Amino acid sequence: IIMFQVFIIFSSFLEVVSFGSLIPFFTIITDPEVIDKNYYLNLLKQYLNLKNNLDFVKILGLTAIFLVIFSNAILLFSIFIIAFFGQRIGMNLSHRIFTSYLYKSYTFFTNNDSSFLSARITSESLRIAEGVIIASLIIFSRTVFALFIIFALLIIDFTTSSIVVLFFSLAYIGYYISVKKFISQIGKETTQANEKWYRYIQESFNAIKELIVLNRLKYYDESVKYLGNKLASYKAWNVALGQSPRYFIEVIAFVFLLLYLIFT
């Protein structure tokens, strides 16, 4: 976990640097005279022993391209690391639950439905991996990146950046509070539907003879289909709600910018 955190901090810092390198490059492209006017750019030009501004623009552009490619490669690798790390934890959790059940007494299995146990081992543990562990790791990585961005903005303009950060923080907290109860309810209903789904599938296969004799095949077929559709709906909601904060903040930012431009 410590190694993972160090890697995320490094990749976030690199992402900010690559993003920041584009700003002076585009500034120079639009106004090449900035090279001679800006103390730091002029100092860098002299250090590289360059005679004209065109060579300096080319070197800066190639450097920006390299940083963007390298940082995105690291970012892609970090996405893989997050997914792999989260899935490994989920599978380990699944195995620990399986081992815990396996060495229980015989009465434990007579008192508990096998579909309930199977759902816990296979589906629920992996849902925790994807919905909690991996989500938490992604939040951590994006938070580190956001902190680097905020730190850079505060250095550039402390007052304005403080107001913007406070505004968006309050907006995000307000959004989270408003959907928290709904997310919790979706999670509970997903768990219940998942257990029923497993139970109907297991019962239909374990008691296939009785179902044929009693003409109950259609009932189980429709029940499994109904629960499958419910699970698909719940999972879709989980995906949508997981992605929604980003779009919510983007809309708030866009509206905020337009209002600022309209009334200033």
Side-chain angles (χ1 to χ4, degrees):
I1 291 175
I2 293 172
M3 289 178 64
F4 171 80
Q5 290 175 336
V6 171
F7 177 77
I8 289 299
I9 291 171
F10 169 73
S11 62
S12 298
F13 173 74
L14 194 63
E15 194 175 354
V16 172
V17 170
S18 67
F19 176 75
S21 68
L22 296 175
I23 298 173
F25 176 70
F26 286 122
T27 303
I28 292 170
I29 287 292
T30 54
D31 186 11
E33 293 182 2
V34 172
I35 299 172
D36 298 317
K37 295 177 182 178
N38 187 280
Y39 173 78
Y40 296 103
L41 291 175
N42 191 36
L43 187 67
L44 181 61
K45 177 185 172 183
Q46 292 176 9
Y47 177 78
L48 296 172
N49 196 25
L50 298 173
K51 302 300 182 183
N52 58 70
N53 291 342
L54 183 59
D55 292 336
F56 183 78
V57 170
K58 289 178 180 178
I59 291 176
L60 195 64
L62 291 173
T63 303
I65 290 170
F66 170 77
L67 286 172
V68 168
I69 293 172
F70 184 64
S71 66
N72 277 276
I74 294 294
L75 184 61
L76 181 62
F77 182 66
S78 69
I79 292 171
F80 170 79
I81 291 295
I82 288 171
F84 178 76
F85 192 69
Q87 291 293 342
R88 278 291 298 273
I89 293 175
M91 292 304 295
N92 287 336
L93 177 62
S94 175
H95 183 254
R96 288 176 65 183
I97 296 172
F98 172 72
T99 304
S100 174
Y101 291 162
L102 192 64
Y103 291 98
K104 296 285 187 183
S105 63
Y106 180 73
T107 54
F108 172 79
F109 292 96
T110 58
N111 294 329
N112 287 278
D113 191 352
S114 61
S115 60
F116 169 81
L117 303 179
S118 298
R120 285 287 188 274
I121 294 168
T122 56
S123 181
E124 292 302 305
S125 59
L126 295 179
R127 192 159 69 88
I128 290 172
E130 294 175 358
V132 179
I133 299 169
I134 294 177
S136 299
L137 295 175
I138 292 172
I139 289 171
F140 172 74
S141 65
R142 293 297 87 191
T143 301
V144 172
F145 173 71
L147 289 174
F148 275 113
I149 290 290
I150 291 169
F151 180 73
L153 292 174
L154 289 174
I155 292 174
I156 296 170
D157 189 340
F158 181 82
T159 304
T160 305
S161 299
S162 298
I163 294 170
V164 171
V165 169
L166 180 63
F167 174 78
F168 284 109
S169 297
L170 292 174
Y172 188 87
I173 292 170
Y175 176 79
Y176 173 76
I177 292 172
S178 64
V179 300
K180 181 182 177 182
K181 187 176 180 181
F182 181 65
I183 292 173
S184 178
Q185 184 62 32
I186 287 290
K188 291 177 182 178
E189 292 182 9
T190 301
T191 299
Q192 293 170 1
N194 207 31
E195 290 172 3
K196 289 181 181 179
W197 189 57
Y198 266 86
R199 186 171 73 250
Y200 279 120
I201 291 173
Q202 282 200 330
E203 286 178 358
S204 63
F205 291 146
N206 293 336
I208 189 67
K209 288 183 180 179
E210 290 82 353
L211 295 181
I212 293 173
V213 172
L214 297 172
N215 195 26
R216 298 276 288 173
L217 292 176
K218 186 176 181 181
Y219 170 78
Y220 274 83
D221 182 19
E222 291 179 350
S223 296
V224 170
K225 182 180 179 180
Y226 171 73
L227 290 168
N229 289 334
K230 285 187 71 175
L231 282 171
S233 176
Y234 293 150
K235 288 179 180 179
W237 271 111
N238 284 328
V239 172
L241 289 171
Q243 297 289 330
S244 62
R246 170 193 167 187
Y247 297 105
F248 173 75
I249 294 298
E250 285 182 0
V251 168
I252 292 293
F254 187 68
V255 172
F256 182 81
L257 179 61
L258 284 179
L259 290 174
Y260 175 79
L261 293 174
I262 291 169
F263 294 104
T264 56

